[in-house]
Amino acid sequence: IRNECSRLFLMPVKKKDYPDYFEIVKQPMDLGSMKNKTKRSEYKTSQDLLNDFDLMIKASELYNGDLHEVTQQARRIKEIAIGQIEENKERIKELENKMIEEMNEKGNNIIIK
């Protein structure tokens, strides 16, 4: 979120700014929504988070085009996230395992390979 290339992705697209956006993009995603999902513990694995980065990229590809600078920025943001995940993979794995244990204790049997 603090990276300069993330500026355009901090908040959801506003219909008043881009009236046709939601006709083209059926699954919008932005960093603000991802931050809120993180606060609500909606991501169970780092792959869940990366899937939302893919949604953000796909939305930009659909609306702006594959080669557009905005789409390139979306890809750079995902690359930064992958780097952060890789740097912290041991801690992330511990947290994912702890979350899985807690969910299994509650009867939400989850198996992640």
Side-chain angles (χ1 to χ4, degrees):
I1 287 179
R2 293 182 203 112
N3 192 290
E4 178 61 31
C5 64
S6 67
R7 184 176 46 85
L8 295 174
F9 299 96
L10 293 176
M11 302 295 292
V13 171
K14 294 179 182 167
K15 188 172 184 166
K16 69 175 186 155
D17 295 333
Y18 301 94
D20 63 340
Y21 184 81
F22 296 99
E23 295 170 21
I24 297 167
V25 177
K26 301 301 181 193
Q27 290 185 285
M29 185 52 63
D30 62 274
L31 295 172
S33 297
M34 292 168 71
K35 183 176 181 179
N36 289 333
K37 287 177 80 169
T38 301
K39 288 180 182 178
R40 294 188 305 264
S41 300
E42 290 185 31
Y43 296 118
K44 306 305 179 208
T45 67
S46 55
Q47 186 58 53
D48 292 342
L49 177 69
L50 292 175
N51 291 343
D52 274 354
F53 279 106
D54 288 337
L55 276 178
M56 190 172 75
I57 293 167
K58 183 66 175 171
S60 185
E61 288 171 345
L62 287 170
Y63 193 77
N64 301 302
D66 189 51
L67 302 176
H68 195 278
E69 177 60 27
V70 172
T71 303
Q72 298 304 318
Q73 288 177 357
R75 289 187 182 116
R76 281 194 291 274
I77 293 167
K78 182 182 177 188
E79 289 172 13
I80 291 166
I82 289 170
Q84 291 293 310
I85 289 169
E86 190 61 31
E87 282 180 28
N88 297 287
K89 67 181 171 185
E90 296 301 323
R91 179 68 178 135
I92 290 170
K93 192 63 177 166
E94 288 174 21
L95 292 170
E96 287 176 350
N97 288 336
K98 183 176 179 182
M99 187 176 296
I100 290 166
E101 287 175 22
E102 289 176 5
M103 292 186 77
N104 285 340
E105 287 174 7
K106 293 178 182 178
N108 299 328
N109 297 321
I110 294 180
I111 300 170
I112 297 180
K113 297 179 181 181

